[in-house]
Amino acid sequence: MSLLQVEGLGISFGGVTAVNDVSFGLETGKIVSVIGPNGAGKTTLFNMISGVYLPKSGRVRLDGEDVTGLRPDLLAVRGMSRTFQNLQIFHEMSVLENVIVGFHMHERGPVLADLFGLPGSRRRARAAAEGARVLLERVGLERAAEREAGALSYGALKRLEIARALAARPRVLLLDEPAAGCNAVETEEIDRLICEVAKTGVAILLVEHDMKLVMRLSDTIVVLDHGEKIAEGDPALVSRDPKVIEAYLGAGTTEALHAHG
Amino acid sequence: MRLSPKQSTLLVLAVLMIASPFFFPSNYYYRVGSLVFVNSIAVVGIVILTGYAGQISLGHAGFLGIGGYACALLPAHFGLPPALAVVAGAALSGAIAYVVGRPILKLKGYYLAVATLGFGVLVSMVLANEGWLTGGPDGIKVPDPGLRALLEQVGIELTNPQFWYAFCGLVLFIGAWLALNLRESPTGRALRALHGSEVAARTAGIDVAKAKLNAFVISAVYASVAGSLLALQNRLITPDVAGFMHSIELVTMAVLGGAGSVLGGIFGAALLTLLPQVLTVLQDYEHVVLGLVMMLVMIFLPAGLIPSARRLLRGRGE
């Protein structure tokens, strides 16, 4: 049984089926990518797995436990974390504080202790701040720690989101278009970061439009079209799949698919 | 040595509190000063709820009413010492905030505003209409807590306004200290996070509903204590305290001074308490000028007075 198991997941909005009967599994330390044209239901699928939407059918299992439709904060406790396609940054807070929030589950304690600034409360906050600085270093943002998050560049914010998600020490990490809107250098940094994270034993589910990135990183690719899974397999297999090429990729992207090898 | 923002805020507050009386020409100014402090205590609660957590309440004066009437009714009916009635009132307000907050904090934005407004109206209606218990619209007498007499026994003699100035000042100082502790703590950070993005806060493992409820209960306790102090020093409480206008006033104070900052909230409270006193020289035009000042601040300094001033100073320094 996989660490994350998606079984027959489906949802419809106002009678229109957005995702229908999608199944796949994700193992520890592996990278699975979900690709498909715009409107194929990738982000919808993500939102169902991460508890933002309640699926109409199907199950999501995390380490065997049924977590379908569980609130995102309860999923976080069980080891699932995510980033967002349209950034969700705490703009008014410093870069460091953004990451400290990611440590919330490890730093939270009694409200009264926090109000009175008891030593225990300060110790928890200090430990989280130290951990956050280590993560900022890992994503190369240590020098921006004290800046207001809203002042960072787009690519830096993408990495900040990943750092915040990692702060929760997830077993499963969902990355929703981490390289979207990034330039080549930033994409490369994110590429390297994702590889490193996977090596530490985190299972990564990736939605991404950058085909080069997907082909290079993924252990398995799941292809969606019109809300249905049309192919699944390793990059080489998927890129040769006539159904994938015909139904969705088109000539331009086919070149990109073969560019990696 | 560099002071942290918390230390510098507390230092500014302490200096202003201690230095101001040297410029007071009469006892009346102590009275105005303690009113500033009482409003500030309630506004610091609003800073936690609105400034930190981004949730609005247009009914917080209801908790002032509960705290105030607790000091009148608990001593009269249960023989509780008035000083303890402050604590009991705060506990009651916290409990009511917990029960009321659970369902209504699920609402967002102006729906939440209207729901809290309804709560405030409800409290002031009950206080005005249940005359057999509350004395109705004319209000009810509040007993003397006897704290000043206690001080006299140990040789500290203060006039009544001086005593309340010192006492409310002390309570405000403690209230500000707690709010500043909270700001940089895990609980406070969770509040500020959900203010920025609820969905991201959830993903970080924050129980958003619980965090909002924490803020609502804490701010209700602040309001309740402010109401109690107001009742005790006036020796009288009327349903107006819990009224809609008072709730609006509290939110305005917080927003004007800068809802995100404790010092800003206190500054806003001071400004809106003192300005009407100063503007009485303008007589008929008092409210016009007051309204104008508020509009100008919001147009030109939308973050509120203190945060805008800080940004300006920081800009110069760089």
Side-chain angles (χ1 to χ4, degrees):
Chain A
M1 179 120 212
S2 306
L3 178 59
L4 180 74
Q5 191 75 44
V6 175
E7 298 165 2
L9 224 46
I11 193 171
S12 52
F13 298 109
V16 180
T17 305
V19 172
N20 186 29
D21 195 26
V22 172
S23 306
F24 61 89
L26 176 56
E27 314 288 339
T28 300
K30 298 287 182 201
I31 301 174
V32 172
S33 295
V34 179
I35 62 170
N38 281 330
K42 304 182 298 282
T43 294
T44 306
L45 178 67
F46 244 54
N47 283 338
M48 282 192 284
I49 296 172
S50 62
V52 178
Y53 296 156
L54 185 66
K56 203 174 128 206
S57 59
R59 293 269 151 254
V60 178
R61 287 182 210 282
L62 184 60
D63 214 3
E65 184 193 359
D66 187 350
V67 296
T68 319
L70 217 55
R71 280 196 337 243
D73 56 305
L74 297 175
L75 285 172
V77 174
R78 284 161 178 76
M80 188 192 291
S81 195
R82 71 169 288 185
T83 66
F84 298 87
Q85 182 185 355
N86 48 349
L87 293 163
Q88 295 288 339
I89 293 287
F90 310 126
H91 285 280
E92 306 276 309
M93 297 169 111
S94 74
V95 169
L96 183 68
E97 277 188 306
N98 264 274
V99 183
I100 297 178
V101 172
F103 279 97
H104 179 76
M105 289 180 291
H106 310 287
E107 72 155 357
R108 68 176 152 205
V111 177
L112 282 179
D114 286 354
L115 265 174
F116 286 92
L118 297 184
S121 161
R122 275 181 285 160
R123 196 170 46 241
R124 282 183 276 118
R126 207 163 37 235
E130 278 164 20
R133 281 190 192 282
V134 172
L135 279 175
L136 279 181
E137 215 163 302
R138 198 161 151 199
V139 300
L141 286 174
E142 68 274 17
R143 274 197 275 170
E146 310 302 333
R147 288 175 64 189
E148 209 169 273
L152 290 191
S153 72
Y154 193 77
L157 288 176
K158 287 274 184 190
R159 278 180 287 146
L160 178 59
E161 263 207 342
I162 296 176
R164 187 180 65 199
L166 287 176
R169 290 175 210 145
R171 290 188 292 165
V172 177
L173 179 59
L174 280 61
L175 301 173
D176 196 352
E177 302 204 14
C182 292
N183 61 36
V185 180
E186 289 169 337
T187 303
E188 206 158 295
E189 279 169 5
I190 284 169
D191 180 332
R192 178 185 53 81
L193 187 60
I194 294 172
C195 273
E196 276 176 22
V197 172
K199 276 199 193 102
T200 62
V202 178
I204 293 176
L205 185 63
L206 185 69
V207 165
E208 183 52 64
H209 272 301
D210 187 323
M211 279 305 158
K212 275 193 221 161
L213 186 78
V214 168
M215 291 297 149
R216 197 161 49 219
L217 286 179
S218 310
D219 295 296
T220 307
I221 295 178
V222 174
V223 187
L224 292 189
D225 189 24
H226 298 298
E228 311 237 0
K229 185 171 90 175
I230 57 168
E232 180 179 2
D234 62 52
L237 193 76
V238 165
S239 61
R240 278 198 307 271
D241 191 320
K243 220 159 120 200
V244 175
I245 295 167
E246 182 202 347
Y248 131 81
L249 283 176
T253 352
T254 318
E255 281 166 30
L257 279 176
H258 293 288
H260 77 287
Chain B
M1 196 185 81
R2 260 188 78 89
L3 292 174
S4 70
K6 177 170 113 185
Q7 288 164 326
S8 56
T9 299
L10 290 175
L11 189 69
V12 168
L13 204 57
V15 168
L16 284 177
M17 280 174 178
I18 294 166
S20 298
F22 290 107
F23 302 97
F24 288 174
S26 74
N27 245 336
Y28 168 73
Y29 287 76
Y30 285 100
R31 160 86 184 140
V32 176
S34 68
L35 276 182
V36 167
F37 294 159
V38 163
N39 281 332
S40 297
I41 293 165
V43 170
V44 170
I46 301 282
V47 165
I48 293 172
L49 180 68
T50 306
Y52 292 4
Q55 308 301 305
I56 192 146
S57 170
L58 297 184
H60 250 53
F63 295 114
L64 265 96
I66 293 166
Y69 276 85
C71 286
L73 299 177
L74 294 178
H77 294 278
F78 298 98
L80 208 63
L84 277 184
V86 178
V87 180
L92 182 67
S93 290
I96 291 175
Y98 186 83
V99 173
V100 172
R102 277 177 79 97
I104 69 175
L105 286 168
K106 292 201 177 97
L107 304 170
K108 285 193 199 344
Y110 39 76
Y111 298 101
L112 177 63
V114 171
T116 50
L117 186 139
F119 167 75
V121 169
L122 196 75
V123 172
S124 68
M125 295 261 281
V126 168
L127 293 176
N129 293 339
E130 302 300 311
W132 59 276
L133 182 68
T134 64
D138 295 334
I140 191 169
K141 277 198 172 133
V142 179
D144 179 35
L147 293 171
R148 192 158 70 96
L150 219 63
L151 280 179
E152 260 166 31
Q153 278 174 16
V154 294
I156 303 171
E157 290 201 24
L158 298 170
T159 65
N160 200 41
Q162 280 174 339
F163 168 75
W164 285 110
Y165 179 89
F167 190 67
C168 295
L170 183 69
V171 175
L172 171 60
F173 189 82
I174 295 170
W177 175 67
L178 294 174
L180 290 164
N181 282 340
L182 188 70
R183 186 183 165 82
E184 303 300 324
S185 76
T187 304
R189 219 174 351 252
L191 295 179
R192 290 187 291 134
L194 76 88
H195 187 181
S197 163
E198 275 193 28
V199 59
R202 280 208 179 88
T203 306
I206 293 168
D207 185 339
V208 167
K210 198 175 136 200
K212 285 181 184 174
L213 198 55
N214 282 340
F216 196 65
V217 169
I218 292 169
S219 68
V221 170
Y222 272 85
S224 180
V225 169
S228 293
L229 291 176
L230 190 67
L232 288 174
Q233 64 173 306
N234 287 347
R235 304 291 306 278
L236 176 81
I237 180 131
T238 62
D240 292 349
V241 167
F244 169 58
M245 279 313 288
H246 201 187
S247 289
I248 300 287
E249 227 178 313
L250 294 175
V251 174
T252 310
M253 286 170 177
V255 173
L256 197 67
S261 117
V262 170
L263 198 60
I266 294 172
F267 190 73
L271 194 72
L272 281 196
T273 313
L274 296 177
L275 216 50
Q277 313 273 347
V278 179
L279 293 178
T280 45
V281 294
L282 300 172
Q283 292 173 358
D284 293 346
Y285 299 104
E286 179 193 331
H287 292 287
V288 177
V289 175
L290 193 63
L292 208 61
V293 169
M294 283 160 53
M295 282 171 65
L296 289 176
V297 168
M298 285 298 91
I299 290 168
F300 293 106
L301 305 166
L305 287 169
I306 293 289
S308 300
R310 264 195 199 138
R311 218 160 278 172
L312 220 68
L313 285 174
R314 216 180 299 151
R316 291 254 168 83
E318 273 167 9

